[in-house]
């Protein structure tokens, strides 16, 4: 983007990280966690997640400082480290993950409104889809008016959503009972949860979903007023959100028992607060969730358009995605994104896709871009690239990059084969856009190594397609 006015300050960048991380996930956290793990496993899982995600936050901070010429975050790192097709796949996977997540947000938003207006049901009734469609295009035209204006509105909604979360934490702190919390630490009384290791693995996929957005500031790096703010915003945003997530999850387990929490309807935070203070608690959390989702939708619509625009700017995506309107907003990328959201909203009418199944698919799509970012940071330290004068820092970054890489690989394993195959089904068609971009600059489409990688993706996609047809795989 040209050096136009409208650059983003540190506060706006932190709000983009916090705003995109705090969406709907935290409001359903008490039930989602209790359904997959007991108190002990939850504490172990959070410890692993905090270390793993913190190393990822440091990876984004390090790369923002060491490679200030790379705009577009996750996508640019994959391209610089592992070639054009990996860069393209990262941008494509991230983009799909982001708009799939938005479809999930719309379903959750209207299922929350269903609490007040039964016509919206679980968020996938005809009335809910019509309402979601109207809202989708309202957000679309708001973003077309300018990134800086949209980022300001995001700052306001971020502050508004943090207030009910802080209130929840404060009230539950006083209602916390140690005997409830320690009643059945290893969930011995709930054998269906399986072993502690199994519980940890299950709860960690939910934790990844609530942390997606940690890379928000790095995607907007080219629009930051000061480059050093990108890394700062990432770490500040991460620590803030981690604190809220752990408080909400752990305090709930001291207010209601694990089996009680597991049976709650989502947004389960509303039911937990209602249990403590009565009906107004549920209303407060529901209103907080509605504001939170509106803000998160705005953040993610911005991120979707930005990642496609950044990739088109250096010819990894086709040229038509590079077009900006008079307000310097990547208009074509925005139209393509929201058209996909609209199509999938209509699909939710005909398939029983719930919020959670959309979320798991969105999460597995984003794990690949995370993996390449961690691998690139590790590679830089390994090769001593940009570390000529800083050997002590190189050792530290080698360890951080290594842990982040192991964590990203572990997440792919925790996600399981099902979501990996479904991801391949969504990754494969992207090659059409990649081929178009390569033709525009007159280059051969794949290198010989990329041909092998693409063949593996196509093979995975064919297995997934057959699985969906045969019924051994389901959405």
């Amino acid at each position: 983007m040209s050096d136009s006015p409208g650059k983003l300050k540190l506060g706006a960048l932190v709000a983009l990280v916090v705003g995109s991380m705090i969406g709907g996930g935290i409001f359903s956290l008490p039930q989602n966690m209790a359904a997959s793990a007991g108190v002990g496993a939850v504490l172990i899982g959070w410890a692993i997640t905090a270390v793993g995600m913190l190393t990822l936050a440091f990876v984004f901070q390090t790369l923002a400082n060491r490679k200030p010429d790379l705009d577009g975050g996750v996508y640019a790192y994959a391209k610089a480290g592992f070639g054009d097709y990996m860069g393209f796949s990262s941008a494509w996977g991230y983009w799909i993950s982001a708009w799939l997540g938005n479809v999930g947000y719309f379903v959750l938003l209207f299922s929350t409104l269903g609490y007040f207006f039964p016509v919206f049901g679980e968020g996938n009734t005809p009335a809910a889809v019509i309402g979601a469609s109207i809202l989708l295009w309202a957000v679309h035209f708001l973003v077309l008016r300018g990134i800086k204006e949209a980022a300001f509105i995001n700052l306001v909604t971020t502050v508004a959503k943090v207030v009910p979360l802080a209130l929840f934490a404060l009230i539950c702190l006083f209602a916390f009972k140690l005997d409830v919390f320690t009643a059945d630490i290893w969930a011995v009384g709930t054998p269906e949860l399986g072993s502690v290791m199994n519980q940890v693995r299950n709860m960690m996929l939910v934790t990844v979903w609530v942390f997606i957005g940690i890379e928000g500031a790095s995607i907007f790096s080219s629009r930051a007023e000061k480059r050093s703010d990108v890394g700062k915003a990432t770490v500040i945003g991460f620590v803030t959100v981690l604190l809220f997530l752990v408080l909400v999850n752990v305090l709930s387990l001291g207010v209601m028992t694990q089996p009680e929490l597991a049976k709650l309807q989502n947004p389960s935070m509303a039911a937990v607060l209602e249990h403590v203070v009565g009906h107004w608690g549920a209303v407060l959390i529901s209103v907080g969730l509605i504001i939170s989702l509106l803000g998160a939708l705005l953040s993610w619509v911005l991120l979707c358009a930005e990642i496609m625009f950044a990739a088109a700017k250096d010819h990894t995506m086709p040229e038509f995605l590079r077009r900006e309107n008079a307000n310097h907003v990547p208009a074509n990328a925005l139209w393509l994104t929201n058209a996909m959201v609209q199509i999938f909203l209509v699909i939710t009418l005909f398939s029983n896709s719930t919020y959670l199944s959309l979320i798991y698919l969105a999460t597995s799509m984003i794990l690949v871009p995370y993996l390449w970012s961690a691998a690139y940071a590790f590679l830089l330290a390994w090769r001593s690239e940009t570390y000529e004068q800083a050997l002590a820092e190189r050792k530290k970054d080698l360890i951080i990059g290594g842990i982040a890489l192991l964590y990203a690989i572990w997440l792919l394993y925790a996600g399981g084969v099902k979501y990996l195959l479904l991801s391949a089904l969504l990754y494969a068609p992207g090659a059409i856009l990649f081929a178009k971009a390569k033709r525009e600059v007159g280059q051969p489409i794949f290198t010989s190594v990329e041909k092998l990688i693409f063949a593996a993706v196509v093979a995975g996609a064919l297995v997934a397609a057959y699985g969906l047809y045969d019924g051994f795989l389901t959405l």
Side-chain angles (χ1 to χ4, degrees), residues 440-453:
E440 285 172 358
V441 288
Q443 289 176 351
I445 298 172
F446 292 118
T447 63
S448 44
V449 175
E450 287 172 349
K451 278 180 188 160
L452 290 173
I453 294 167

Side-chain angles (χ1 to χ4, degrees), residues 83-96:
D84 289 356
Y85 181 57
M86 284 300 111
F88 170 86
S89 294
S90 260
W92 177 253
Y94 189 87
W95 176 71
I96 289 180

Side-chain angles (χ1 to χ4, degrees), residues 97-140:
S97 171
W99 63 252
L100 259 183
N102 270 356
V103 178
Y105 279 160
F106 276 118
V107 171
L108 184 62
L109 175 63
F110 279 86
S111 112
T112 307
L113 285 169
Y115 178 85
F116 303 104
F117 311 103
V119 67
F120 293 133
E122 290 287 300
N124 47 10
T125 61
V129 171
I130 292 165
S133 303
I134 294 167
L135 183 59
L136 168 71
W137 295 106
V139 170
H140 175 86

Side-chain angles (χ1 to χ4, degrees), residues 183-268:
D184 184 9
I185 283 196
W186 302 112
V188 183
T190 326
E192 63 270 20
L193 290 180
S195 68
V196 173
M197 185 62 203
N198 218 27
Q199 292 176 43
V200 170
R201 184 183 152 188
N202 291 342
M203 70 79 77
M204 280 182 72
L205 256 195
V206 182
T207 63
V208 180
W209 168 247
V210 291
F211 277 117
I212 289 178
I214 191 172
E215 67 302 309
S218 71
I219 296 216
F220 282 92
S221 49
S222 67
R223 298 178 193 264
E225 197 174 63
K226 292 212 316 257
R227 201 53 189 238
S228 58
D229 285 350
V230 173
K232 275 187 213 151
T234 303
V235 175
I236 294 169
F238 167 76
V239 173
T240 309
V241 174
L242 176 67
L243 195 68
F244 274 120
L245 289 167
V246 175
L247 279 173
V248 165
N249 191 192
V250 171
L251 290 174
S252 302
L253 286 161
V255 172
M256 295 169 81
T257 63
Q258 178 266 328
E260 285 173 334
L261 288 170
K263 287 197 204 79
L264 294 180
Q265 219 185 337
N266 281 319
S268 47

